Amino acid sequence: MIRLNNGFQLLFNLLWWMPVFYEYQRRAGLSDSQIFGIQSVYYVAFCLLEIPTGFIADRIGQRRCMQLGAASMTAANLLPVVSPSFAGFMAHFLAIAVARSLVSGASSAYLYEYLHEHGADAHYVQAEGTARALGLWAKIACWPLVGVLMHVRHEAPYVLTALCALGSLACAAALPAIAAPRDGAHPRRSASGCWPRPARPRRCSGRHGPSGR
């Protein structure tokens, strides 16, 4: 499971287009105001989606939410290839906001609950940190190649990101399910950061750090 989680985090966050998206959009005919306007909309959308997607994860399950996020990320990165226009890039970043908000809390909550189920709570911080570190090393290794790949195929950064997202979907699909907690068992940490307590109002302890930000 740890290897699957590492693979998911690495592939989901390996955005090949990140070093060149500004130049890519400029070549597609977008102005600076359009490019930075899209970025503003993206960050606002991401912030607004964080809470509702956390509750969606609580409803459908963290693993399914990760799968949905990976599928959304795959589709999102095909949009600039199909429609390299202002509307296409806007839809691209909005879909990424949806995908990342679906995954950000759900992946951390899933990892913690799986380790807790197997009596390995103490390994959570190390497991989370290792997954993030591997993702950073992957970016260091891969991002310098983006310029060369664009000379081979202009759309390569987005195609490669879509393929990586598809790989993260395969990892999420292979993750083992977490058993439902028994009566009186340790309460499950939700993706919205709340610990459910019977007959009491919901109290939030704060989310684990967002993945890949």
Side-chain angles (χ1 to χ4, degrees):
M1 175 270 172
I2 295 296
R3 291 180 180 177
L4 286 173
N5 179 70
N6 290 344
F8 175 84
Q9 294 288 356
L10 188 156
L11 294 171
F12 184 85
N13 293 297
L14 186 57
L15 307 178
W16 288 80
W17 48 262
M18 183 65 77
V20 296
F21 80 91
Y22 172 81
E23 181 62 24
Y24 193 98
Q25 292 180 23
R26 288 287 294 177
R27 292 187 184 184
L30 275 66
S31 65
D32 282 353
S33 61
Q34 289 177 316
I35 294 172
F36 296 124
I38 291 172
Q39 291 298 297
S40 299
V41 171
Y42 162 75
Y43 284 111
V44 171
F46 178 78
C47 291
L48 293 176
L49 288 167
E50 278 285 84
I51 297 300
T53 51
F55 285 105
I56 289 173
D58 294 343
R59 179 60 64 95
I60 69 174
Q62 299 144 4
R63 188 169 60 109
R64 290 180 182 176
C65 200
M66 293 167 66
Q67 294 167 3
L68 183 59
S72 300
M73 182 66 83
T74 302
N77 286 287
L78 294 176
L79 290 173
V81 178
V82 176
S83 178
S85 61
F86 175 76
F89 286 113
M90 178 66 79
H92 162 67
F93 272 100
L94 287 174
I96 287 177
V98 172
R100 294 180 72 87
S101 61
L102 283 167
V103 166
S104 64
S107 60
S108 295
Y110 172 86
L111 176 62
Y112 177 84
E113 287 300 332
Y114 181 89
L115 293 175
H116 171 76
E117 186 180 74
H118 292 79
D121 310 54
H123 297 290
Y124 168 76
V125 173
Q126 181 180 354
E128 185 82 49
T130 298
R132 293 171 187 266
L134 289 173
L136 290 174
W137 280 111
K139 291 173 184 177
I140 292 172
C142 295
W143 280 2
L145 305 175
V146 173
V148 176
L149 293 170
M150 284 187 70
H151 284 291
V152 177
R153 182 176 176 83
H154 185 63
E155 303 87 354
Y158 291 95
V159 174
L160 286 172
T161 304
L163 290 174
C164 286
L166 188 61
S168 72
L169 176 58
C171 290
L175 287 171
I178 298 175
R182 299 182 299 275
D183 292 341
H186 173 76
R188 176 172 294 182
R189 187 186 194 281
S190 71
S192 58
C194 297
W195 297 91
R197 298 177 184 273
R200 295 186 185 179
R202 294 172 66 90
R203 297 180 58 190
C204 294
S205 59
R207 300 166 68 105
H208 289 302
S211 55
R213 297 215 198 13

